[in-house]
Amino acid sequence: MSRNLFLRIVDAIKDHDMYFEQRIDALGRFGLSTLQKITAVFRMLAYGLPADATDEYMKIGESTTIESMKRFCRAIVEVFGERYLRSPTPNDVARLLHIGEQRGFPRMLGSLDCMHWKWKNCPTAWAGQYAGRSGSPTISLEVVADYDLWIWHAYFGLPGTNNDINVLESSHLFSNLASGPSRFWRKEVLHDIMTTCIILHNMIIEDERDLNAPIQDAVEAPTPTIEMVIDENLRFEQFLARHKKIKDKNVHFELRNALIEHLWEQRNNFEN
């Protein structure tokens, strides 16, 4: 992360939450600075350090570090979530489709994958539900990322016993189309931490993106023609039709085979 981006985040969080402002006690002594609190949080997020490990370097106590982590993650989601967790706009979709076609993958928006995040302090009563192949309790994260690793979709929270297919079935990805330091107890806190990591990731991608790269050619999306459906029964039928089309295995195999043929054709053309 660049210094300018870090300072931009520091200023935004300090303005959003007074907890991060440096205060003076009744004796006139200065308290912890904004940089101390936020740097301690960044060290936990970046290196997976426990809260008590920041005391020696940052001179900040364990309880204050944990409170700073919770408040920082909530502030990041509230301040930057609307921009860095947004769904693709029509212009974004058109640009991604254009880039996918240039790279040999027509009609491709991004790559979908899942990972498992270890939950060290998972309650004992939930351990069996969240323990997957690794034997340790984990929480699943599903993301869709494009060619430059910008994350467009994230779904977090299912127990680690689920495989990728089950996570995909449970996530809101198809529904939308049709319509580190993991040492905390509460899933709400873990969700904020994971969401914060995704937002910071997208901010770094945006900050380091080469806007002059040829693959960034802008493509304007055509003006969508929208026909408003007033009849709720008709709207529900259209939803079911779209959902069935998304889940159709025959369509999946047809698209897969067409992609294979397209890639071989591209390879032959390149060799010739």
Side-chain angles (χ1 to χ4, degrees), residues 72-259:
F72 175 84
C73 293
R74 178 90 313 252
I76 284 287
V77 174
E78 293 174 356
V79 175
F80 298 108
E82 183 176 357
R83 174 179 175 84
Y84 293 98
L85 291 179
R86 62 183 176 85
S87 299
T89 64
N91 284 335
D92 291 326
V93 172
R95 179 176 60 84
L96 293 174
L97 292 176
H98 172 68
I99 293 171
E101 186 172 359
Q102 284 186 330
R103 298 168 71 91
F105 291 89
R107 302 181 66 181
M108 177 179 176
L109 292 176
S111 300
L112 171 69
D113 200 6
C114 296
M115 63 160 286
H116 291 262
W117 197 34
K118 187 175 180 180
W119 189 3
K120 180 180 178 181
N121 284 346
C122 175
T124 304
W126 295 359
Q129 178 184 357
Y130 282 81
R133 290 180 301 175
S134 65
S136 302
T138 60
I139 303 178
S140 300
L141 169 67
E142 173 195 81
V143 299
V144 174
D146 64 16
Y147 68 98
D148 66 352
L149 303 183
W150 180 282
I151 295 176
W152 289 107
H153 159 81
Y155 179 70
F156 177 73
L158 280 187
T161 49
N162 293 277
N163 57 31
D164 290 4
I165 300 298
N166 293 335
V167 175
L168 181 61
E169 290 286 344
S170 301
S171 78
H172 56 273
L173 176 60
F174 286 158
S175 300
N176 287 344
L177 293 176
S179 55
S182 180
R183 295 180 173 87
F184 294 93
W185 289 90
R186 300 182 59 185
K187 285 182 63 178
E188 295 82 359
V189 177
L190 296 179
H191 184 275
D192 279 351
I193 293 173
M194 181 58 69
T195 305
T196 297
C197 291
I198 294 171
I199 292 174
L200 294 176
H201 168 87
N202 282 346
M203 294 180 75
I204 294 173
I205 293 296
E206 180 186 61
D207 186 59
E208 297 179 349
R209 181 179 290 161
D210 183 5
L211 298 179
N212 297 320
I215 202 168
Q216 282 286 344
D217 294 340
V219 178
E220 291 294 332
T223 304
T225 56
I226 301 176
E227 181 180 354
M228 297 302 295
V229 179
I230 301 177
D231 188 354
E232 291 296 331
N233 293 329
L234 180 58
R235 178 181 298 176
F236 183 66
E237 291 176 1
Q238 292 179 351
F239 170 83
L240 291 179
R242 289 193 296 268
H243 193 271
K244 182 179 180 181
K245 185 177 180 181
I246 292 172
K247 298 286 187 176
D248 194 323
K249 290 186 177 179
N250 293 329
V251 173
H252 164 73
F253 290 123
E254 290 176 2
L255 291 174
R256 185 193 65 180
N257 295 333
L259 177 60

Side-chain angles (χ1 to χ4, degrees), residues 50-71:
D52 57 0
T54 61
D55 179 43
E56 181 178 355
Y57 182 76
M58 299 304 304
K59 304 301 181 182
I60 182 173
E62 178 182 5
S63 60
T64 305
T65 303
I66 293 176
E67 182 66 18
S68 298
M69 167 69 80
K70 295 178 181 179
R71 286 179 171 267

